[in-house]
Amino acid sequence: MIRNFFLSKPIAFKLYFYLVRAFRGDKVRLPAKGDQLYFDGYPRSGNTYDVGLISDLVPGLVWAHHLHSEAALKIALKLGIKTVVIIRNPLQAVSSFIYTKNKAATTEEIEALVQRYTKYYSFVKEKMNDLTLLSFESLTNNTAGFVTQVFSVLELESGLSQQQLNNSILNYRHRMKLAEKNKTTESSSLPNKERDIFKGKIEDEVLNSKSFEAASGLFNELTSRII
């Protein structure tokens, strides 16, 4: 409950951010006046991959990204910053997040993560007219189309032909794979066999959480409204 308070209230989140996250050296920052974009989503929804790819394709973009909180969304929207939120199936997102944080998550911890998913995207649902919602599936199945949608939000022309865009994406993927080799499987932003095996074991526990039905229903409703 305390965590939800800090993640949902802008003033409390700013206090937490500057006393905790900034102090420990996190590279992310809060949305600020003059930003061209704010990009966010529930953890393990492709945030890191997207941020790297967009940074690669739009050098010099002034933006903030993946703070995973309603508070940061509220700050961005109040400042009039163009905002993109990515959504992933709660079963996959929560299972993957558990792997990165605590492989031995208790029933209570799993329930708290599913509730956090529901609370976050409930706020996104309230603000659907003020932001752009994109799906994790579109990122994985049609990355070029996903990127084109982000360019549309930014009201920018990529200046690239379809072939050049595809080549840029392939080049980024190759460089990311090389960089990810030095990371542990828990911290890697790319799919890996060990994580997939773990997720297969934990998924039943996520499915059986008391809040999963609400999270799944919210996911289906939101994805049905993505243009």
Side-chain angles (χ1 to χ4, degrees), residues 1-17 30 69-75 116 119:
M1 294 298 293
I2 294 177
R3 179 175 175 81
N4 284 339
F5 176 80
F6 278 96
L7 290 175
S8 62
K9 305 296 183 182
I11 294 177
F13 185 75
K14 287 179 180 179
L15 180 65
Y16 157 77
F17 184 86
L30 294 172
S69 72
E70 304 95 282
L73 289 172
K74 290 175 182 178
I75 293 170
R116 173 101 291 277
K119 192 172 189 301

Side-chain angles (χ1 to χ4, degrees), residues 42-61:
Y42 186 86
R44 307 309 304 177
S45 298
N47 298 276
T48 300
Y49 182 90
D50 295 335
V51 166
L53 178 59
I54 295 168
S55 295
D56 205 50
L57 294 171
V58 193
L61 181 66

Side-chain angles (χ1 to χ4, degrees), residues 168-186:
S168 294
I169 292 170
L170 288 173
N171 181 264
Y172 170 72
R173 285 177 179 167
H174 175 69
R175 287 185 282 110
M176 189 172 186
K177 285 181 179 179
L178 292 177
E180 294 282 307
K181 283 183 178 181
N182 297 321
K183 293 185 178 181
T184 63
T185 57
E186 292 87 354

